[in-house]
Amino acid sequence: MKLSDDGFNARHLRPRGSSAWRWRLLAGLAALFAAFGVLLSMAGAATLLGRPPALGPLNDSIGAAITLLLFGLFLLWGGINVWRRCRRRMRRNRGADLSLSPGLLKKRH
């Protein structure tokens, strides 16, 4: 390949993609929500199983423990879904700057 001295750089022809820091931040927040959901659901399940309440007066009754368990499971489910979508979006953005068709990026068996 011949190097020219006219200052041509092929990298400047490639379109600049958006930075992935927003998706990384959102994925980190989603992971925190999922972890918080695990902790809340464990506290609710511990109260339902007869252990002393982990959160003091917040889950003294059976109804409050069930609410805590369901809210924790909802946070866990939502956090995992948002985290997976962010990871998929970051991975798609990384492969898109090569201008290849998505079928060529798949692994061959």
Side-chain angles (χ1 to χ4, degrees):
M1 181 173 145
K2 180 182 173 187
L3 296 175
S4 62
D5 292 329
D6 59 356
F8 175 74
N9 190 355
R11 292 182 187 163
H12 290 276
L13 295 177
R14 185 173 292 180
R16 294 206 38 149
S18 63
S19 62
W21 67 269
R22 291 181 206 122
W23 296 112
R24 286 189 187 121
L25 181 65
L26 190 59
L29 284 175
L32 283 176
F33 282 150
F36 189 61
V38 167
L39 292 176
L40 281 180
S41 59
M42 285 175 57
T47 302
L48 287 175
L49 293 175
R51 303 287 185 227
L55 297 177
L58 188 60
N59 61 344
D60 279 339
S61 68
I62 299 293
I66 291 174
T67 305
L68 208 59
L69 177 67
L70 292 178
F71 186 65
L73 289 176
F74 176 73
L75 271 180
L76 175 64
W77 175 78
I80 288 174
N81 278 338
V82 171
W83 181 77
R84 290 180 71 209
R85 286 183 189 195
C86 290
R87 294 277 299 169
R88 192 177 302 141
R89 182 72 180 242
M90 284 189 296
R91 191 170 291 192
R92 184 174 58 176
N93 281 347
R94 185 178 59 198
D97 58 349
L98 293 177
S99 299
L100 294 173
S101 80
L104 293 175
L105 296 176
K106 293 180 181 175
K107 289 184 178 178
R108 305 279 170 146
H109 289 8

